[in-house]
Amino acid sequence: MTWILVSLLLLLQYPLWFGKGGWLQVWDTGRQVAEQKQLNATLTARNAAMDAEVHDLKHGLDAIAERARNELGMIRNDEVFFQVLKPGQAQPAAPSQNGNNKQQPPPGGAGDGKQR
């Protein structure tokens, strides 16, 4: 009789621990929720930084000028540009001599349609 009661107790406990909605599944779901919260916090911080950058680009000319300098290599007419190269780094193309970054068409070429 004792073995029958122990067997019934184990059969009733099995779904509690290993079945659908059991403790193991609850523990695993809790772990997944913690991972997702961490990912959400990372993405929220990234979105806040992007939102601040968009606001700066919409409302401030300093951010636009900084991007033009860093990403496009643009220089104002009244600025002097110094570039420090690391040893072994290739030299970039030299800017034009007239102080702006526009490329000039070759003389006598088909650049602007005017005869020279």
Side-chain angles (χ1 to χ4, degrees):
M1 187 71 168
T2 305
W3 290 106
I4 294 173
L5 290 175
V6 170
S7 301
L8 281 174
L9 181 66
L10 290 176
L11 286 175
L12 291 174
Q13 289 289 315
Y14 180 81
L16 177 66
W17 292 97
F18 304 109
K20 182 177 180 181
W23 286 110
L24 293 177
Q25 188 175 10
V26 169
W27 176 79
D28 186 47
T29 304
R31 183 187 53 80
Q32 289 176 355
V33 167
E35 287 177 5
Q36 189 63 45
K37 283 182 179 180
Q38 184 179 9
L39 178 64
N40 288 350
T42 303
L43 293 175
T44 301
R46 185 195 71 175
N47 289 346
M50 292 177 102
D51 186 42
E53 186 175 349
V54 167
H55 183 269
D56 284 347
L57 288 172
K58 284 184 178 179
H59 299 291
L61 296 178
D62 292 337
I64 295 171
E66 180 182 346
R67 277 192 163 227
R69 283 189 191 95
N70 291 337
E71 294 179 9
L72 302 175
M74 298 178 86
I75 305 167
R76 291 185 187 159
N77 286 335
D78 60 343
E79 290 181 333
V80 178
F81 177 73
F82 294 98
Q83 184 175 13
V84 179
L85 298 176
K86 295 178 183 177
Q89 187 178 1
Q91 289 187 345
S96 62
Q97 297 296 326
N98 60 1
N100 61 21
N101 285 345
K102 295 179 183 176
Q103 283 190 322
Q104 301 295 322
D112 56 5
K114 297 179 183 177
Q115 289 198 354
R116 298 181 198 256

